[in-house]
Amino acid sequence: MTDTHAHYLIVGSSHAGREALAAIRMADPKGRLVMLSREGRMPYSPTILPYVASGRSQPDRVGLADAEWFTENAAELVLNAQVVAVDPAARAVRLADGRRWTYDKLLLATGAEPVVPPVKGLDRVRYHVLRTLDDALSIRERSTQARRAVVLGAGLVGMHAAETMAAAGLDVTMVEMRPHVLAEYFDPKASALIRQTFERHSVRMMMGRRLLWAMETVPGSCRLGLDDGTELEADLLLVAAGVRPAMAMLADSGITIDKGILVDDRMRTAAPGIWAAGDVAQARGFLTGVPVVNGTLPEAVEQGRIAGMDMASDPDLIPYGGGIPLNTYGFFGRHAMAVGTAAVPEGDGIETVTDEGNGQNGYCRIVLKDNRLIGLAAIDRVMDAGILWRLILRRTDLSPVRQQFLSHPLETARALMSRGWR
Amino acid sequence: MPSQDTIRFIPERCDGCGDCMTACAKAKGGASRISIVGSGGGGWDIALCRQCGDPKCVANCPAGALDKHYGSGIVGWSQDLCVDCHLCTIGCAYGGIVFESAAGHVQKCDLCDGTPACVPACGKGALEHLSAAARLHETHADKEDLFVPGLSACQGCNSELLIRHTMRRIGRNSVVAAPPGCIPGMGTVGYNGQTGAKMPIFHPLLTNTAAMLAGVKRQYERRGKDITVVALAGDGGAVDVGFQSLSGAAERGERILFICVDNEGYMNTGMQASGSTPFGSWTSTTPVGTVERGKSTDGKYLPQLMMGHGCAYVATASTAFLDDYHTKLEKALAASRTGFAYLHVHAPCPTGWRFPAAMTTEVCRRQVESNFVTLWEFTAEDGLRFTHAVDRPRPLSDYVGMIGKYKHLGNAEIERIQASVNRRVAFLKGFCRQPSAAE
Amino acid sequence: MNQHVNSSRMIVCDGNEAAARAVVLARPDVVSVFPITPQSSLVESLAQFVADGALGAELINAEGEHSVLSALQGACLAGARTYTATSGPGLAFMFEPYVRTPGLRLPMVVSLVTRDMLSPQCVWGGQQDAMTVRECGWIQIYCEDVQEVLDTVVMAFKLAEHKDVLLPVNVCHDGNYLSYGVSRVELPAAELVDQFLGQPEVNWHIALDPERPMSVDPLTGGTGPGGAASFVGYRKSQVRGMAAALEVFSDIHAEWGERFGRHWAPLVEEYRLEDADIAIITIGSMTGAGKDAVDAARDCGQKVGLIKVKTYRPFPREAMIAALGKVKAAGIVDRSVSFAWDCGPLHQDVMTALFASPLRLPLVGFIGGLAGADITATHFERVIAETTRAAGGNVPSSPVWLNEHD
Ligand SMILES: Cc1cc2nc3c(=O)[nH]c(=O)nc-3n(C[C@H](O)[C@H](O)[C@H](O)COP(=O)(O)OP(=O)(O)OC[C@H]3O[C@@H](n4cnc5c(N)ncnc54)[C@H](O)[C@@H]3O)c2cc1C
């Protein structure tokens, strides 16, 4: 065994990697465990970045795991270690600086990276993305000088960023190709409620528009042209047009990839001894059975744990139940959550029950199929997202409590779960 | 992983009055962190933080705002670090961490620093603050585990738990006897030259455990060595063929601790009935057929017989109440320095009694809560004292209904068991110094 | 007379008391007792010796023989020299721990005050009890008189504890005839016995001792890996210990003779056998009457000798064959019955020994002294007569029951 051989090698130091590490250590206290990160910093979560950008979170206080944690878990963290190639046959990875690590078991938890759309002139203007702490810090710095901000993309990253910029006093405009914000989670009515809140807080919401060109005005600022002819000025341009799995290092590896790295229900890739989890992985979707890249933090945690347990041959492993879109979302003091396919339209065996709370008391949309919950979205309603997630995963038959569930989803769901584990 | 305090909910006692929520809201200022919800049909259920050992809310937090404190066991939340993303609420399957709009952030139970306000507020006894595990952890975690890590016990068997706890407590300066039965059967004494424990341990005969231990102890006493001498016997080796030697040793006041692990039959050899098997039980020698319906007589209640033996200490225990067991183990060990100490531990057998392996502790609990099993201790000086008196026992059917070996029983038969349970409780109360002092 | 003999003293006592006095000399650590006829006065003596401080042992008054032996097993595993005595039904009740003792290689000494077995209900002497357990792996020694009881009980500790043997020993003395028969015996000096026996070392091989933690008697055998070999290993070493006992016991007797001046035949005693035509074979207290009968027959010119079996388990095959080689016929007197062979157990053993040698000679079986019946010189006259006839080719096909008409 050499200095650069690990029994367990984890690439990526965020949620999926951390959870896998902890799970491995639960089952195997001994095998050498090394985590590689391309970052020069201790692990942190991308989800925290909007709050770092806004100044709410201090960059030195957002650690997911400190040195002590690694010591306690008898694991080593190697920073500035960007993996550029994987050689499954040799059970080795190569780093950008030429170093090489060998492994018995490898986990790829490299997450995702921002997608920058091919827009004319975009490469010649200053724009920001938000995936790393450095990104967040540079946005933060720019915010102090900027007056007008444009956010491209009304997904979670863009929405979070837009809100924090608005809160910081910037004049914010959002440009979104699709007609609705957060369209993968919320149905049009819920989306509209969220959008209206943004508008009430003076964020311009330009929905269904596409960016056609960009052009520098003064250094650091630019002008943007949309497909309807609108032109926008931006001192700060954030491109939040989506992410794609960070799997460039697999280019010549022969590992099967699609939109992400394809994995089975134990997070095993097609290559022996290699697992993948989190934003980089493409695992079975719960409702469709088709592999999807989920890209949410709870899924990264779930998959990371499964991968770790499987790597350490933990007998208690329960294979992946399948991915479900889910998120919680706080905005301007309000809160929204969506679990499952909460946005699908009615019909085709799908029943939806919407409670708009007289326009004041929040919003709730329940989606059922065969009397089983498949999705629920809510705004300003107390809901236990975790309980609903499990009701979906367990395909709990709601027939006996259907009426109650529709009228009192929170209490009924709590009672169902409480009975289940009591 | 350390154990922790928790709040236990007993739904049968809850009437949904909401006093706990009021108390919580008052203590914490704002919304209650405990939530009582109707479960339909007039019942009640609960949503409350379980202070999980491996908390998913913590795993889901991107901000480091949630943290499991390994000392107190509490999952703590820091308002300072929280960014209001609410992802923690996706991790929790218990409704234990919830966004409260009035407060503007998530809230969760913190057990009020060890004295939860909700528990005393409940006048119905539906909430219990269980702090034993943490206490036990504090006192026992550092003690050496003397029991073999891999065992061939049946899934769900609580004897392993009992043996591990006991061995940890008594330590290496001991001699342990494990007569034939489930305890050596799971590998406690070992196989073919390999041992199951890091202490002197042996197989006596099923019949002579107490006598052999008496011999061991006498020799060490003669040499002036203080050695703890303990039997881990099944009910067969205590109630039936082992009874004579047990009785003799107790009468002679041999300085030993005899622990009877009562699984109500000969489970190791295929679930035959023993003298301890209760009325109505299916066993392989009291089967259920067209003529017979399980065991036709009540079981012999050995702890009561041991009271008549002039023992230094007699007590009953249940692994659902490990703190109670540890207290008694402590007293029994002390008593075994001056005389005979007897502990009777009830050990429901998932395999032989036919209930799911995951339910063992719940079965133990219901045995006690229905008074099918009573927890008490007895010394000649202080008489009998109930250590976990159950004032409002569950109906016996709550317990019997969980157990496969009783599934053929009709109401009349369950009533018969209920009657004998009631009689036993009344009888035991007669041994209390001041019957009113029974807690 | 040397100094050793000088420091001994003469007393008058019965066999039970002699055994108890021997136990005092052997200084056991733990004695456990339960009374049973005809052993009771033995344990009463022990209890009195303890009460008087003459015997500094832990006395466990157990609630039955089963626990008596079990307590001794525990004590022995903790390093104690141990002793008890039992008889007949008590031995039967003790059987479960009894059969286990040799396998644990626990070097105990247990006196069997022999008694006939129920039923018919009886409380008198006979060797059916001891003979019933002759295949359990215990060493069995039979005594002829009170002095031999005393000497043999002491020697038995040395035999049991010998590292090549390490097996439990039954010293058998006949109920009624030896238990209650009083005679003058010489009591060796305690210090000399101490020197003879040395400190007990009884659990060096297997112990319940926190300073040497081990698992005692884990499940062994079966078809699992190494199980069969392990079990065979234990059994074979037990057989080796048994076989070694013959020589070890002979050496012990030689040493005893040197130290105390009394020379007992350790295995079989040959009495007036040199020029004998026939031999009678005896075991236990009947030997005295047998010797008298031999003397009387010799006086009448009959060439009769006697072979007394002292060590019965392990069976002293070579010694028996050597003795039988001197005669033309033998009459074996058993005080018990082997139901399988319609003869006495000793008879059966002699036959087996003969088969293992080229010798062939007529054997006549006699069964006498059951349930306290006396075997007198008159009975032995008949034994001699029948055996003489057998030497002439007239061998009865089934045993002669000596007390059939008494
Ligand atoms: C601004 C923002 C807001 C978000 N908000 C939410 C939200 O509200 N809810 C939600 O559920 N999710 C949210 N997410 C998504 C969430 O953060 C991710 O789903 C989650 O972080 C995925 O975890 P992961 O471990 O799979 O990957 P990542 O968190 O992306 O971590 C990947 C790690 O791998 C390292 N790495 C990558 N490539 C290499 C390489 N070649 N060599 C070495 N190391 C490498 C990276 O440095 C990083 O440490 C948000 C994401 C962002 C960016």
Side-chain angles (χ1 to χ4, degrees), chain C residues 78-359:
Chain C
R81 180 176 280 168
T82 50
Y83 174 84
T84 190
T86 190
S87 179
L91 176 62
F93 183 42
M94 188 186 272
F95 187 72
E96 195 193 15
Y98 181 88
V99 285
R100 192 186 192 201
T101 311
L104 286 168
R105 308 300 295 272
L106 299 180
M108 300 176 177
V109 175
V110 174
S111 286
L112 295 185
V113 186
T114 57
R115 172 173 160 175
D116 228 309
M117 283 310 258
L118 314 183
S119 266
Q121 180 71 250
C122 106
V123 293
W124 299 282
Q127 294 171 350
Q128 196 69 46
D129 54 356
M131 288 296 165
T132 300
V133 296
R134 66 192 184 279
E135 282 309 334
C136 292
W138 284 63
I139 291 170
Q140 277 195 354
I141 316 291
Y142 288 76
C143 297
E144 177 182 344
D145 63 23
V146 175
Q147 182 73 59
E148 191 175 23
V149 170
L150 191 148
D151 291 358
T152 305
V153 167
V154 176
M155 285 191 280
F157 282 100
K158 187 150 182 150
L159 172 63
E161 292 170 15
H162 193 283
K163 290 197 174 168
D164 294 342
V165 177
L166 210 69
L167 285 167
V169 178
N170 281 146
V171 180
C172 307
H173 66 262
D174 286 331
N176 301 67
Y177 293 95
L178 285 177
S179 62
Y180 306 147
V182 173
S183 73
R184 204 177 93 112
V185 296
E186 192 176 299
L187 193 64
E191 312 84 73
L192 300 187
V193 173
D194 288 346
Q195 284 166 22
F196 171 76
L197 282 183
Q199 283 301 310
E201 275 186 77
V202 298
N203 70 342
W204 52 272
H205 63 300
I206 182 177
L208 288 171
D209 181 356
E211 285 171 21
R212 286 184 287 150
M214 67 173 82
S215 169
V216 168
D217 215 7
L219 212 57
T220 303
T223 50
S230 176
F231 200 92
V232 169
Y234 282 116
R235 274 287 181 269
K236 276 187 82 173
S237 86
Q238 208 179 321
V239 170
R240 269 201 305 279
M242 214 41 171
L246 293 174
E247 196 186 324
V248 170
F249 206 30
S250 301
D251 295 346
I252 290 170
H253 274 71
E255 187 187 343
W256 182 266
E258 247 167 61
R259 286 180 185 259
F260 299 99
R262 276 187 300 283
H263 297 271
W264 306 97
L267 311 178
V268 299
E269 179 188 341
E270 296 180 7
Y271 182 75
R272 303 187 78 169
L273 207 59
E274 282 62 43
D275 60 342
D277 290 330
I278 63 156
I280 57 177
I281 303 179
T282 61
I283 184 164
S285 64
M286 68 172 80
T287 307
K291 285 176 178 172
D292 288 348
V294 166
D295 292 344
R298 283 275 179 184
D299 290 346
C300 301
Q302 284 177 277
K303 290 189 167 179
V304 184
L306 179 144
I307 303 169
K308 164 189 148 187
V309 175
K310 177 167 192 182
T311 299
Y312 179 60
R313 284 293 178 269
F315 194 76
R317 194 173 70 185
E318 302 305 327
M320 179 58 75
I321 291 168
L324 287 173
K326 297 174 179 171
V327 296
K328 298 189 186 72
I332 302 133
V333 188
D334 268 287
R335 205 167 200 134
S336 60
V337 179
S338 164
F339 297 102
W341 292 94
D342 187 19
C343 68
L346 179 56
H347 185 160
Q348 184 199 342
D349 283 302
V350 172
M351 285 195 292
T352 310
L354 272 185
F355 190 81
S357 83
L359 278 181

Side-chain angles (χ1 to χ4, degrees), chain A residues 11-18 36-39 43-51 81-84 95 109-113 130-132 156-158 160-161 185 243 246-247 249 277-281 294-301 326-329, chain B residues 62 85 87 90:
Chain A
V11 186
S13 61
S14 177
H15 292 285
R18 180 183 77 155
L36 305 180
S37 173
R38 72 170 169 212
E39 292 272 340
Y44 61 85
S45 169
T47 303
I48 199 71
L49 299 176
Y51 309 96
Q82 180 176 1
V83 172
V84 292
L95 307 190
T110 47
E113 43 204 22
L130 186 53
R131 188 72 193 188
T132 68
L156 270 176
V157 176
H160 276 302
Y185 297 112
V243 295
M247 51 188 186
M249 74 294 246
D279 280 12
V280 77
N294 220 306
T296 64
L297 190 158
E299 286 288 356
V301 167
L326 39 88
N327 234 307
T328 51
Y329 178 48
Chain B
C85 71
L87 285 169
I90 296 185

Side-chain angles (χ1 to χ4, degrees), chain A residues 123-369:
Chain A
D123 52 347
R124 286 187 302 271
V125 303
R126 174 165 179 189
Y127 67 88
H128 296 260
V129 293
L130 186 53
R131 188 72 193 188
T132 68
L133 201 58
D134 287 339
D135 296 341
L137 291 173
S138 85
I139 292 172
R140 175 152 179 63
E141 199 215 294
R142 185 67 187 157
S143 308
T144 56
Q145 301 143 17
R147 198 170 53 77
R148 301 155 304 182
V150 172
V151 175
L152 201 60
L156 270 176
V157 176
M159 297 288 278
H160 276 302
E163 179 183 348
T164 59
M165 290 173 192
L170 271 72
D171 174 5
V172 185
T173 304
M174 293 200 80
V175 179
E176 169 59 53
M177 229 162 59
R178 287 181 284 187
H180 307 293
V181 302
L182 301 173
E184 61 274 49
Y185 297 112
F186 297 100
D187 62 289
K189 277 185 188 162
S191 285
L193 287 173
I194 297 168
R195 177 174 49 78
Q196 286 154 15
T197 307
F198 273 69
E199 283 163 355
R200 268 200 298 282
H201 286 83
S202 309
V203 179
R204 265 173 88 194
M205 302 299 281
M206 311 202 61
M207 309 308 292
R209 316 284 167 82
R210 187 186 291 269
L211 175 65
L212 288 187
W213 53 264
M215 190 175 93
E216 184 168 84
T217 48
V218 295
S221 299
C222 61
R223 180 168 305 133
L224 303 166
L226 306 190
D227 56 354
D228 64 348
T230 314
E231 292 191 6
L232 300 168
E233 301 289 330
D235 307 319
L236 195 169
L237 169 62
L238 175 66
V239 178
V243 295
R244 70 170 149 250
M247 51 188 186
M249 74 294 246
L250 296 186
D252 304 314
S253 69
I255 294 176
T256 329
I257 53 175
D258 178 32
K259 291 194 182 70
I261 305 173
L262 286 165
V263 292
D264 67 8
D265 285 349
R266 293 168 168 264
M267 303 301 134
R268 297 179 183 179
T269 69
I274 305 183
W275 284 256
D279 280 12
V280 77
Q282 188 175 350
R284 184 168 59 84
F286 176 75
L287 290 164
T288 57
V290 175
V292 286
V293 175
N294 220 306
T296 64
L297 190 158
E299 286 288 356
V301 167
E302 183 77 5
Q303 296 180 1
R305 200 190 64 248
I306 290 170
M309 290 177 86
D310 195 42
M311 290 167 78
S313 307
D314 191 325
D316 291 338
L317 170 73
I318 298 169
Y320 190 50
I324 290 176
L326 39 88
N327 234 307
T328 51
Y329 178 48
F331 57 105
F332 297 109
R334 306 185 66 179
H335 62 108
M337 53 116 343
V339 179
T341 51
V344 287
E346 185 129 45
D348 198 18
I350 291 173
E351 269 179 275
T352 66
V353 178
T354 306
D355 167 8
E356 295 177 41
N358 308 321
Q360 279 147 38
N361 298 322
Y363 176 88
C364 178
R365 182 175 198 252
I366 299 173
V367 185
L368 300 176
K369 191 174 182 186

